[in-house]
Amino acid sequence: MSFKTLQENAAQYAMAFQATEITSAEMREAIPEWLSLYYQAAPQKDEDPCQRIAYTIVRKLTKTVFSEYKTTCKDAFVDGVLTALNWVSAEAMQMALIGGECRLKPIPAKDGFRFVVVPRHNILVFGRDAEGNMTDVGTVEQTSAGQFYYTLLERRTVDSRGYLTIRNRLLRSYSKYSLGQEVSLTSVPQYAELPEEYTFPRPVGSVGMAQLRTPMVNCVDGSADAVSVYAAAVGLIHNIDHNEAQLNGEFDRGELRIVVSADMFKRDIHGRPILEDKVFVGLDDDAESIGVTPFSPALREASFLARKQEYLRNVENVIGLKRGLLSEVEAAERTATEITSSAGEYNLTIIDFQQMWEKTVREAVQICGVLGQLYRVSGAHEPAEDAVVISWGNGVLYDEGKTNQELLSQVQSGLLQPERYLGWYYNLPCDTPAQREKIRKDYMPQLVEEE
């Protein structure tokens, strides 16, 4: 299902779900625009998106976030869930950065789970709780078989006690642009085993799909909806594309032309000029007074290029990217304070997105623990809070190896408890006496025996 079709027909789909879409008109306009900025490659009348600013932002952030990402887990079931998440991590992060958020839908199998990324433009929101969490959503899946197009409408509703209800409806039509009439779920083999309505016997606590959303506050309408990573820079990106079109026009107009009398043009059988009109310009006037005149206006590319660089730097400032990631890095030397400030802002931005993914991973693991038991997935159980260990490696201003040596020296000097060092090293909670006791039992058995 393309984003354009779903957004343009949101009212039609909401009617099919027999619900009201609560997303504001401003957000319904903003989401397709974010997608258009990311996917658009062909020049328009007044804009040339050849620099692909939105694409560049998303690609660079995704690559940086996962540059040294790794997970470890001794739990076989949880490790399988983490492996499945790793397969879709880049896709999920990109879709969340583009549309503000996406959902990771776990699909149970006999020996584990796989995940399907559901982007924001394929989600209709019918309800939220007091904290802004989605409590009633609809998703659309379209497939074709023979001469028919089938549209599966899946509605997920979670009540105040955390019980999740899923309702499925299948519609059939001759056109992919219409919903058609409702038919049995058994009409398509892949949907034959889906129930029309099912309420899980145990609380799931959410709509059953892990949420991945950007950390920025909504700058479109101030609602609970998440916004694209470049939402605040939409106007600047349009200005850059407009500037690029102007610059291209400047070069086109600056090409050498030869002004000649129009009657000097040879024409084909249809009366059209044969001379290349990019080089020759015909004027309907007296040939003796015009003759042949070379014409080449002076180029003003310097002002266009300077303005373009300023736009790119402004985009970096608005989003919080490191200076030079999009614009050209200045050749002039900068002070240590300036370098530290630039790197620090960039590092904090990346950490924000890393924490965003880590939160999603932990939510997905918990959801799979509950659903796995309900679907009788092999080895499924609710994992412990410290079952997942995530490492992001070295950051811009953070050297993990150096920090490790510093903490080890503090342990050897008696300035730091070994339990706290092990908690940092293995990313384990160590704030309470019970948590430190667990670390001693699991990682310091010799010390426990001596006690």
Side-chain angles (χ1 to χ4, degrees):
M1 178 60 61
S2 67
F3 71 86
K4 193 171 183 179
T5 302
L6 185 56
Q7 289 298 317
E8 287 182 346
N9 297 280
Q12 179 186 7
Y13 283 105
M15 185 179 298
F17 278 106
Q18 299 178 350
T20 302
E21 228 280 351
I22 64 172
T23 304
S24 70
E26 293 84 358
M27 283 297 297
R28 288 199 297 269
E29 292 179 3
I31 293 172
E33 183 173 20
W34 300 334
L35 288 152
S36 177
L37 287 175
Y38 182 83
Y39 289 108
Q40 183 179 337
Q44 296 180 334
K45 180 180 179 181
D46 298 321
E47 294 186 5
D48 185 354
C50 62
Q51 291 206 52
R52 303 296 296 271
I53 300 299
Y55 171 82
T56 302
I57 293 170
V58 171
R59 182 178 61 85
K60 286 181 177 292
L61 285 177
T62 301
K63 182 178 180 180
T64 306
V65 165
F66 294 110
S67 60
E68 298 184 54
Y69 169 75
K70 64 179 180 180
T71 59
T72 56
C73 183
K74 297 180 180 179
D75 188 315
F77 169 72
V78 175
D79 188 61
V81 174
L82 294 176
T83 300
L85 285 169
N86 290 341
W87 278 106
V88 299
S89 58
E91 177 189 358
M93 179 62 69
Q94 290 177 74
M95 295 312 302
L97 294 177
I98 296 169
E101 67 179 297
C102 70
R103 293 279 171 163
L104 277 67
K105 179 180 177 181
I107 307 297
K110 183 177 296 184
D111 56 349
F113 284 89
R114 64 181 179 89
F115 288 90
V116 174
V117 178
V118 185
R120 176 62 180 91
H121 56 264
N122 280 349
I123 300 175
L124 298 177
V125 183
F126 305 129
R128 293 181 183 272
D129 62 17
E131 297 178 351
N133 300 311
M134 295 181 184
T135 58
D136 191 353
V137 300
T139 60
V140 177
E141 181 178 320
Q142 193 175 71
T143 186
S144 61
Q147 60 181 329
F148 296 109
Y149 289 91
Y150 293 90
T151 303
L152 178 68
L153 305 179
E154 180 187 80
R155 185 173 179 180
R156 292 170 171 250
T157 307
V158 58
D159 63 20
S160 58
R161 300 176 299 165
Y163 286 89
L164 173 63
T165 299
I166 299 179
R167 301 176 181 87
N168 295 294
R169 296 178 62 204
L170 187 64
L171 305 175
R172 182 177 67 188
S173 70
Y174 288 100
S175 171
K176 65 179 180 179
Y177 300 108
S178 63
L179 296 178
Q181 301 296 320
E182 185 171 357
V183 296
S184 171
L185 290 166
T186 59
S187 302
V188 180
Q190 68 193 67
Y191 303 138
E193 297 184 3
L194 291 178
E196 291 185 1
E197 182 172 334
Y198 179 76
T199 300
F200 289 91
R202 291 178 53 189
V204 178
S206 67
V207 293
M209 299 185 292
Q211 174 183 253
L212 180 64
R213 59 174 289 150
T214 55
M216 295 85 67
V217 175
N218 188 308
C219 60
V220 175
D221 65 351
S223 68
D225 266 312
V227 294
S228 171
V229 65
Y230 48 82
V234 165
L236 285 172
I237 294 174
H238 280 299
N239 282 346
I240 293 172
D241 293 346
H242 180 61
N243 185 87
E244 194 68 32
Q246 289 180 313
L247 182 60
N248 292 340
E250 184 77 7
F251 275 91
D252 287 342
R253 290 185 293 273
E255 288 183 346
L256 176 65
R257 287 168 170 78
I258 300 177
V259 181
V260 300
S261 176
D263 60 358
M264 294 179 64
F265 280 88
K266 293 182 179 180
R267 301 180 182 273
D268 58 21
I269 58 176
H270 301 291
R272 293 174 302 199
I274 297 177
L275 293 177
E276 174 59 54
D277 58 2
K278 281 190 175 182
V279 177
F280 295 93
V281 178
L283 296 178
D284 291 319
D285 205 341
D286 182 9
E288 295 182 358
S289 62
I290 295 179
V292 178
T293 305
F295 174 74
S296 180
L299 294 177
R300 298 170 296 162
E301 75 275 13
S303 60
F304 285 107
L305 291 175
R307 183 167 60 177
K308 183 169 68 175
Q309 286 303 313
E310 185 60 30
Y311 281 144
L312 291 173
R313 284 192 289 267
N314 288 339
V315 171
E316 293 167 341
N317 291 336
V318 169
I319 297 176
L321 299 177
K322 182 180 180 181
R323 178 58 59 88
L325 199 63
L326 300 176
S327 62
E328 295 179 3
V329 180
E330 299 89 339
E333 294 184 0
R334 294 184 294 166
T335 66
T337 303
E338 291 174 330
I339 295 173
T340 303
S341 174
S342 174
E345 292 172 1
Y346 171 67
N347 189 47
L348 290 175
T349 301
I350 296 303
I351 288 176
D352 287 339
F353 294 115
Q354 289 173 338
Q355 291 173 343
M356 155 185 158
W357 173 252
E358 185 168 341
K359 181 179 179 181
T360 302
V361 168
R362 299 190 186 282
E363 181 185 3
V365 169
Q366 293 299 323
I367 291 175
C368 288
V370 176
L371 296 182
Q373 295 177 75
L374 296 173
Y375 284 112
R376 298 180 181 178
V377 175
S378 177
H381 63 277
E382 294 187 41
E385 293 184 4
D386 58 354
V388 179
V389 178
I390 296 177
S391 173
W392 296 104
N394 296 332
V396 176
L397 297 179
Y398 174 68
D399 188 332
E400 188 175 25
K402 181 179 179 180
T403 302
N404 181 51
Q405 293 297 324
E406 291 176 351
L407 293 178
L408 271 179
S409 64
Q410 292 179 22
V411 171
Q412 295 168 353
S413 303
L415 300 176
L416 181 68
Q417 290 179 314
E419 295 89 339
R420 292 193 177 277
Y421 166 74
L422 292 172
W424 168 84
Y425 189 84
Y426 292 106
N427 196 22
L428 300 172
C430 59
D431 295 327
T432 66
Q435 292 170 341
R436 291 192 290 273
E437 175 63 29
K438 189 175 187 303
I439 291 176
R440 283 195 295 272
K441 182 179 179 181
D442 294 342
Y443 295 92
M444 305 167 64
Q446 184 177 356
L447 182 59
V448 172
E449 291 176 1
E450 292 178 357
E451 293 178 351

